[in-house]
Amino acid sequence: MAALHDPKPTPMMAQYLALREEAGDALLFYRMGDFFELFFEDARKAAQILDIALTTRGEHMGEPIPMCGVPVHSAESYLARLIKAGCRVAIAEQVETPDEAKARAKREGTPSSKVLVGRAIVRLVTAGTLTEEALLNPRRANVLVALAELRGTIGIASCDVSTGAMVLEECETDRLGAALARLSPSEVVVPEDWQHGPEEAIFRPRSTFASDAGTERLKAVHGVATLDPFGDFSRAMLAAAGGLVAYLEHVGRGSLPLLLPPVLRAAEAGMAMDEATRASLEILEATTGGRAGSLIGAVDRCVTGAGARLLAEDLSAPLLDIAAIEARLALVQFWRDRPIERAQLRDILRAIPDLGRALGRVVAGRGSPRDLGQLRDGLSEAARLHHWLSGAPDRPALLDEVLARLTGHGALTDWLARALVPFPPTERSSGGFIADGYDAALDELRATSGDARRAIAAMEARYREETGIASLKIRHNGVLGYFIEVGARHADALMAPDSGFTHRQTMAGAVRFNSLKLHEEAARIAEAGGHALAAEEAHFEELVGAVVEAREAIAATAAALARLDVGAANAERAAEGDWCRPELAEDDGLAIAGGRHPVVEAALAKAGERFVANDCALAENNRLWLIGGPNMGGKSTFLRQNALIVLLAQAGCFVPASSARIGLVDRLFSRVGAADNLARGRSTFMVEMVETAAILAQATQRSFVILDEVGRGTSTYDGLALAWAVAEAVHSQIRCRCLFATHYHELARLAETCEALSLHHVRAREWQGDLVLLHELAEGPADRSYGLAVARLAGVPATVVNRAKTVLEKLEATREATGGIAAGLGDLPLFAAMRAEPAPASPEKQLAEALRAADLDALTPREALDLLYEWKRALPRSKG
């Protein structure tokens, strides 16, 4: 920026430019009084994003300085919009008072008229490091991720800074995309010059990603001599953790937020899903954006933000441990069977504050008296729940685990209850949050201040009587303090030298005065008020210290309340939709009776329509279903609903079906509904092939795959050939459970050679020229595609449809005469048979290939001679 080259900037501008350089790529919020000001390019960018006025302030280098500002008291709302727009913001605060600045100038020998209040960047506000309630979505975790690669393995450290939860894990390079899709981070930090991170990653010095430094940072944060009690972390994990903690220190300018002990996540701890599968199934976000139309939007009945965040985590990482899944299901069943108690529990939970995030703000040094009040109230309600639920019979094991973490805070809650007023304020600068009776000295200071205020009220009445001015008032503002105000026409009487009043300010229509007695009472109020504020601040810090000391136990209680909410919410959803408890098994079967798509069913219910349920039964001898039928017939819905039922079951939820028995799925793949990715230069067909390649490379026998219209984005011959080969590979090589929807009727011939493949179709009928879609799945191949009927239903002009019918009749006649495009496929050997070794090449061809491959310039004479002898021995002997 041109401003950096000004030879003689003003002291304020010099200070600003130094801070501006320190802020780097972040916008700089420069504190000036009650405003945060932005200058130069920062002002232009912020004004456009925030839609606020762009003004100028003086000149710099002969040009007006662009400027805009936002009030300090409402800065959070502006920060939220800037962060949402992808900005990072550096906060430069005044770090000394004007009196301290003057004292510093005196020590330095600088004229006090030229002294500038010191400012420093106290914090960087970034998308992944938010703790403020106004900047966060209460129902979504805000995850910061750091990545570090060590000998081909990528360490991943993730942390929700708002609650302090930290998880360490690792993965191979080709699995990074799936891991990041599961975590859905707001911000990713990577070592400088590292090429494997996402495009929007923040680069940090490589030295901060050292495993030894990571170990030392974690030990220092948690005050331990060894990390062994937390888990056996790899060096890659520790390197990532070091980078994450270092970044938090950087943005916090040396202060750290709440960081709970790290939790180790095993590489195969949950069902694997890549980014394409998550997007296709719309688990946490619909393709249109937002929760509406997503799986969580249809499932979530949580009454707390923490519960909604935990449910999102459950759905993002379904389990592979049947015991853990059954524990969650048992908790859901417990509340499903007790509707009255469930309603009572949900009413109690609805009133409990978000303990995890209140704790995060307090520990990060951004807490308020209101946050302490929330912790007091939330922990008290947790103890009440513990007392109530401890007497419940037939409690499942997971409920007992939860109950054990709801208690143990009696001393702290008693202390907070005695110290705080019932409804503490959000700001502590004005005091008033410490309860009467907690501190006798504070009560005395308040009484002194109150007495002085009453004395001022009495003084006002006395002055009115003495002067005869009924409109005389004693007022107060932040500049003059207390003053006496009368109308301009009464001012002369108070201007007299012997009146006992001193003139202070003349206003339009009013004149302001002071008096000795008023000054004395004001001084008493100011002194008592100042001491009272100092006393309240000391009590606040003491209470914060107690909370920080108990942070891990409080966080455990917050997590327990969230698990209670998820269990009760899942039971509520199950009762509401008549969902069933799934049965989990270690085999490769899948038996779903009356399965329904939760999102589509909810949408139809709003329109007053009924969802048509369908069954799905896959087994070792019937593991691949080839499904045909018309567009809009429900093929894609059927595919997705079975994938979502599997996902819900392994997440520990009841499922939308009459019954469900599910063999554990290690990896879930969905190649349904690909779209162009123009930003990466990929067409629809390219995206489809990339996703299909990932499935063929990564799926195992225990996986569940849904494929829709493979090969549709290219020519008919190419598409059919690819669909045929993919179906064979899934059937004969991977041997996993698969639902394969297609319009290629020719694929039905695969049933002749693939013993575990069966044919199915979605039913449709034409009635009096109209297409009737029944949305029912039936056995056997589809008799036709009904493409022209669908076109007519979509509103394609009748002339076009009629012409298409004529062309179709001609094509079908040709197919009957020639056997169609699939002619000869019946003689094609199976995919497995194609892997037989080809016939060996002749010795002459082998010699020619060896000669072409030889690097003659690199051979020594001896090596060349040996090679000639070898080739001679390889040639067949002459018969002559």
Side-chain angles (χ1 to χ4, degrees):
M1 113 183 15
L4 294 175
H5 305 294
D6 183 15
K8 292 182 181 179
T10 64
M12 191 204 84
M13 187 53 61
Q15 183 189 66
Y16 168 82
L17 293 175
L19 292 170
R20 170 62 269 172
E21 185 173 357
E22 183 183 343
D25 62 352
L27 300 179
L28 179 64
F29 269 31
Y30 182 81
R31 179 73 178 266
M32 294 180 68
D34 293 332
F35 278 79
F36 283 121
E37 305 289 2
L38 299 97
F39 301 99
F40 301 107
E41 291 304 317
D42 286 359
R44 292 192 180 95
K45 185 174 183 179
Q48 183 177 10
I49 294 171
L50 301 174
D51 193 23
I52 58 178
L54 181 67
T55 61
T56 60
R57 176 191 175 102
E59 290 189 352
H60 194 68
M61 300 292 290
E63 297 289 335
I65 301 174
M67 168 186 170
C68 68
V70 300
V72 170
H73 68 85
S74 59
E76 282 189 356
S77 63
Y78 293 101
L79 279 173
R81 290 160 65 185
L82 290 170
I83 295 299
K84 189 175 181 180
C87 300
R88 292 151 48 87
V89 181
I91 307 293
E93 286 278 9
Q94 295 174 184
V95 292
E96 61 182 355
T97 65
D99 289 340
E100 290 171 338
K102 290 176 182 177
R104 173 173 54 80
K106 186 176 181 180
R107 291 194 303 270
E108 296 172 353
T110 306
S112 59
S113 60
K114 296 183 179 180
V115 70
L116 189 67
V117 173
R119 292 177 175 84
I121 295 176
V122 297
R123 180 189 172 197
L124 275 172
V125 182
T126 70
T129 59
L130 304 175
T131 57
E132 289 81 356
E133 195 171 9
L135 304 183
L136 293 167
N137 181 341
R139 305 185 80 82
R140 282 294 298 271
N142 192 55
V143 179
L144 170 69
V145 165
L147 306 173
E149 184 178 9
L150 201 64
R151 290 191 289 275
T153 299
I154 297 177
I156 304 173
S158 59
C159 178
D160 184 347
V161 175
S162 67
T163 61
M166 177 187 278
V167 178
L168 302 185
E169 57 186 293
E170 65 182 16
C171 69
E172 300 304 314
T173 305
D174 60 347
R175 303 292 166 86
L176 177 60
L180 291 177
R182 168 173 50 82
L183 293 167
S184 186
S186 299
E187 191 173 8
V188 179
V189 183
V190 301
E192 56 194 354
D193 302 325
W194 193 59
Q195 302 302 317
H196 297 295
E199 294 177 2
E200 65 277 8
I202 305 297
F203 290 102
R204 296 292 301 153
R206 186 171 289 275
S207 59
T208 62
F209 290 84
S211 59
D212 292 343
T215 302
E216 295 306 315
R217 281 195 167 97
L218 287 178
K219 289 196 294 188
V221 166
H222 299 292
V224 296
T226 176
L227 299 178
D228 291 347
F230 301 147
D232 184 15
F233 304 116
S234 70
R235 292 178 64 84
M237 296 179 195
L238 293 170
L244 185 141
V245 176
Y247 181 68
L248 290 174
E249 289 175 341
H250 166 68
V251 299
R253 287 308 191 253
S255 65
L256 282 172
L258 170 64
L259 291 177
L260 297 173
V263 175
L264 174 65
R265 185 181 192 275
E268 302 300 329
M271 177 197 293
M273 291 181 283
D274 59 22
E275 186 176 5
T277 297
R278 293 175 187 276
S280 169
L281 297 179
E282 301 175 283
I283 299 170
L284 300 184
E285 186 175 279
T287 52
T288 55
R291 284 167 59 97
S294 69
L295 174 64
I296 196 170
V299 172
D300 184 8
R301 296 296 182 270
C302 294
V303 295
T304 70
R309 296 194 298 271
L310 181 59
L311 176 61
E313 185 180 325
D314 288 350
L315 296 178
S316 295
L319 302 174
L320 289 177
D321 182 349
I322 288 184
I325 297 170
E326 290 293 348
R328 291 183 185 177
L329 292 173
L331 182 60
V332 178
Q333 186 74 61
F334 179 83
W335 293 115
R336 174 73 175 82
D337 296 340
R338 295 164 175 78
I340 296 175
E341 292 86 348
R342 183 174 76 241
Q344 293 173 337
L345 171 67
R346 285 164 61 78
D347 284 342
I348 294 171
L349 290 172
R350 191 177 283 110
I352 293 180
D354 195 328
L355 291 184
R357 286 189 166 171
L359 176 66
R361 290 189 293 273
V362 169
V363 175
R366 300 169 198 148
S368 68
R370 178 171 174 264
D371 291 321
L372 292 178
Q374 288 185 336
L375 291 172
R376 172 200 62 196
D377 298 342
L379 293 175
S380 298
E381 286 300 305
R384 177 185 163 198
L385 282 173
H386 177 270
H387 177 73
W388 172 43
L389 296 175
S390 293
D394 303 321
R395 296 188 308 274
L398 184 54
L399 181 55
D400 281 338
E401 290 180 24
V402 166
L403 290 179
R405 292 180 282 161
L406 292 182
T407 189
H409 308 289
L412 179 60
T413 53
D414 288 346
W415 188 2
L416 292 171
R418 286 186 293 107
L420 298 171
V421 297
F423 302 101
T426 55
E427 295 292 334
R428 69 178 194 262
S429 57
S430 300
F433 54 86
I434 295 298
D436 291 334
Y438 178 70
D439 180 349
L442 175 59
D443 293 343
E444 188 174 341
L445 289 170
R446 287 173 172 170
T448 301
S449 179
D451 290 344
R453 284 186 171 85
R454 285 188 287 274
I456 286 177
M459 187 186 302
E460 182 182 74
R462 187 171 68 252
Y463 282 159
R464 286 177 181 174
E465 184 178 349
E466 292 174 355
T467 62
I469 304 172
S471 60
L472 180 148
K473 295 186 185 307
I474 296 180
R475 299 181 183 277
H476 180 275
N477 66 28
V479 178
L480 298 180
Y482 284 95
F483 55 85
I484 301 160
E485 183 175 282
V486 298
R489 62 194 180 91
H490 300 298
D492 289 345
L494 275 64
M495 288 284 193
D498 59 348
S499 67
F501 298 98
T502 305
H503 174 258
R504 297 198 68 183
Q505 190 177 36
T506 299
M507 308 288 291
V511 183
R512 293 170 175 176
F513 298 86
N514 198 1
S515 72
L516 180 60
K517 290 184 178 179
L518 178 61
H519 177 73
E520 290 173 350
E521 293 299 338
R524 285 178 59 200
I525 291 174
E527 183 179 9
H531 288 318
L533 287 176
E536 290 205 59
E537 182 66 22
H539 289 312
F540 180 82
E541 295 299 335
E542 187 179 20
L543 294 172
V544 166
V547 168
V548 171
E549 188 70 22
R551 61 189 180 277
E552 291 183 22
I554 296 173
T557 298
L561 290 170
R563 179 53 67 192
L564 260 184
D565 188 21
V566 170
N570 285 340
E572 184 77 12
R573 186 65 184 92
E576 177 187 307
D578 194 23
W579 291 10
C580 75
R581 177 174 177 170
E583 178 187 351
L584 281 301
E586 290 284 1
D587 57 37
D588 295 334
L590 181 68
I592 298 170
R596 311 184 300 277
H597 192 299
V599 180
V600 177
E601 183 180 31
L604 289 175
K606 287 182 179 179
E609 299 180 31
R610 183 180 66 89
F611 186 93
V612 178
N614 280 295
D615 300 344
C616 179
L618 302 178
E620 174 60 27
N621 61 352
N622 186 22
R623 59 181 177 269
L624 195 159
W625 280 19
L626 199 64
I627 305 168
N631 286 314
M632 299 174 57
K635 297 191 301 297
S636 296
T637 299
F638 178 74
L639 266 59
R640 285 190 173 103
Q641 78 187 36
N642 287 290
L644 292 178
I645 287 171
V646 168
L647 187 154
L648 286 169
Q650 293 189 212
C653 305
F654 279 31
V655 299
S658 301
S659 67
R661 185 183 186 280
I662 295 164
L664 279 182
V665 170
D666 66 345
R667 299 175 183 274
L668 182 62
F669 293 96
S670 171
R671 209 238 57 78
V672 180
D676 287 342
N677 189 335
L678 300 181
R680 295 188 180 180
R682 291 177 176 176
S683 66
T684 302
F685 181 66
M686 183 62 178
V687 172
E688 176 187 319
M689 287 297 100
V690 168
E691 294 174 3
T692 303
I695 293 170
L696 297 176
Q698 299 174 20
T700 72
Q701 188 171 338
R702 295 183 63 195
S703 300
F704 182 43
V705 176
I706 60 173
L707 294 166
D708 190 17
E709 307 293 354
V710 172
R712 64 181 172 179
T714 185
S715 72
T716 303
Y717 283 95
D718 284 358
L720 174 59
L722 283 166
W724 187 290
V726 169
E728 277 192 343
V730 170
H731 175 274
S732 302
Q733 285 191 307
I734 302 173
R735 303 178 65 84
C736 66
R737 291 158 285 182
C738 176
L739 301 176
F740 193 120
T742 184
H743 279 296
Y744 292 125
H745 298 297
E746 294 80 7
L747 292 182
R749 300 182 67 172
L750 281 168
E752 301 169 8
T753 54
C754 297
E755 74 284 352
L757 181 150
S758 60
L759 304 177
H760 303 262
H761 67 278
V762 288
R763 295 180 61 207
R765 290 290 181 268
E766 281 191 278
W767 175 255
Q768 296 180 349
D770 292 328
L771 180 66
V772 180
L773 300 170
L774 302 177
H775 303 293
E776 295 176 358
L777 197 74
E779 293 185 3
D783 55 350
R784 32 186 307 212
S785 292
Y786 298 97
L788 302 188
V790 172
R792 185 184 301 111
L793 192 64
V796 174
T799 54
V800 175
V801 174
N802 291 334
R803 175 58 179 165
K805 185 177 181 181
T806 302
V807 174
L808 177 62
E809 290 171 353
K810 182 69 173 176
L811 291 173
E812 288 181 338
T814 304
R815 181 180 64 188
E816 291 175 4
T818 63
I821 63 173
L825 287 181
D827 299 328
L828 189 67
L830 281 176
F831 194 106
M834 294 295 291
R835 290 180 292 169
E837 291 294 328
S842 67
E844 290 80 4
K845 286 186 177 180
Q846 292 181 24
L847 177 58
E849 289 299 323
L851 184 57
R852 290 191 189 97
D855 186 356
L856 300 181
D857 293 332
L859 293 174
T860 65
R862 180 64 186 176
E863 290 171 338
L865 185 61
D866 291 342
L867 202 56
L868 282 172
Y869 278 117
E870 181 181 338
W871 289 343
K872 184 176 181 180
R873 286 194 299 270
L875 286 173
R877 294 187 178 183
S878 173
K879 294 181 180 179

